[in-house]
Amino acid sequence: MMTSQQQLRTTDDAAPVDMLANLFEARGWPCEFISDDEISGEIQGSWATYQLRCIWRTEDHVLQLLCLPDIRVPAPKRDAMVELLALVNEQLWLGHFDIWSNGSVLLYRHGLMLGQDGLLGLDQAQSIVELAIEECDRFYPAFQFVMWGDKAPKDALDSALIDAAGEA
């Protein structure tokens, strides 16, 4: 009898939301379908539990992934966080961090253009999910330094990157 992970490995490309649901199930991550084109789940990172939302836009063949580290940015911290996000985004090759205007929620967003067949492969699914979690984990300390430690954005980023480099 094959395990969920083995079954997932043998699965060919699939509709994006279905592939992500299979990946979540195989990893034991809780998830739910919001609609036929949207899935939401939770993944435990190194610093926090992240909510992951994936939205498939059929008309554009684009899969949008949002990773939310459950950080709300209060008005007094907004300017410093916007400055920090500009510095953080300079460090990224794929995706970007932003503050959602509705609710001032911090998020990581990445869009993946798929081919005309609109199918997502397992390697792609794993890569985009892992990338989102890794980037949120990598910069989470900087966000906390600005939000709760009152550090200047550049100092917060420098401290976070030094701390991350020192972990084994």
Side-chain angles (χ1 to χ4, degrees):
M1 184 169 170
M2 292 189 349
T3 66
S4 294
Q5 188 66 30
Q6 289 168 326
Q7 288 171 341
L8 186 56
R9 284 190 188 123
T10 62
T11 302
D12 291 330
D13 294 352
V17 174
D18 293 337
M19 178 59 79
L20 289 162
N22 290 338
L23 175 64
F24 274 60
E25 181 182 335
R27 295 276 182 96
W29 297 328
C31 70
E32 68 177 311
F33 283 90
I34 305 302
S35 70
D36 288 343
D37 296 328
E38 185 174 352
I39 189 170
S40 177
E42 288 188 352
I43 298 174
Q44 181 63 49
S46 296
W47 300 102
T49 299
Y50 303 114
Q51 180 187 20
L52 205 71
R53 296 185 76 106
C54 301
I55 305 155
W56 171 240
R57 290 181 41 110
T58 306
E59 62 274 11
D60 301 332
H61 301 284
V62 173
L63 178 65
Q64 179 173 239
L65 179 134
L66 306 171
C67 190
L68 300 106
D70 196 23
I71 296 175
R72 296 196 188 286
V73 181
K77 298 287 184 175
R78 187 169 179 87
D79 288 345
M81 285 296 285
V82 167
E83 183 180 338
L84 175 61
L85 294 182
L87 295 170
V88 165
N89 286 334
E90 289 177 353
Q91 305 293 315
L92 302 178
W93 283 93
L94 297 171
H96 69 278
F97 283 94
D98 204 348
I99 299 172
W100 201 266
S101 61
N102 185 7
S104 296
V105 175
L106 180 77
L107 60 90
Y108 170 85
R109 180 166 43 189
H110 178 69
L112 182 63
M113 295 182 67
L114 301 179
Q116 290 297 317
D117 59 4
L119 298 177
L120 181 67
L122 175 59
D123 289 345
Q124 289 174 301
Q126 289 182 147
S127 293
I128 63 168
V129 169
E130 289 170 4
L131 176 67
I133 300 306
E134 287 169 9
E135 297 297 22
C136 285
D137 276 347
R138 183 167 81 145
F139 295 107
Y140 191 88
F143 304 143
Q144 294 302 308
F145 288 149
V146 167
M147 293 285 294
W148 305 110
D150 290 324
K151 283 194 174 202
K154 174 119 177 56
D155 294 339
L157 182 60
D158 290 346
S159 295
L161 293 180
I162 287 170
D163 289 348
E167 292 180 14

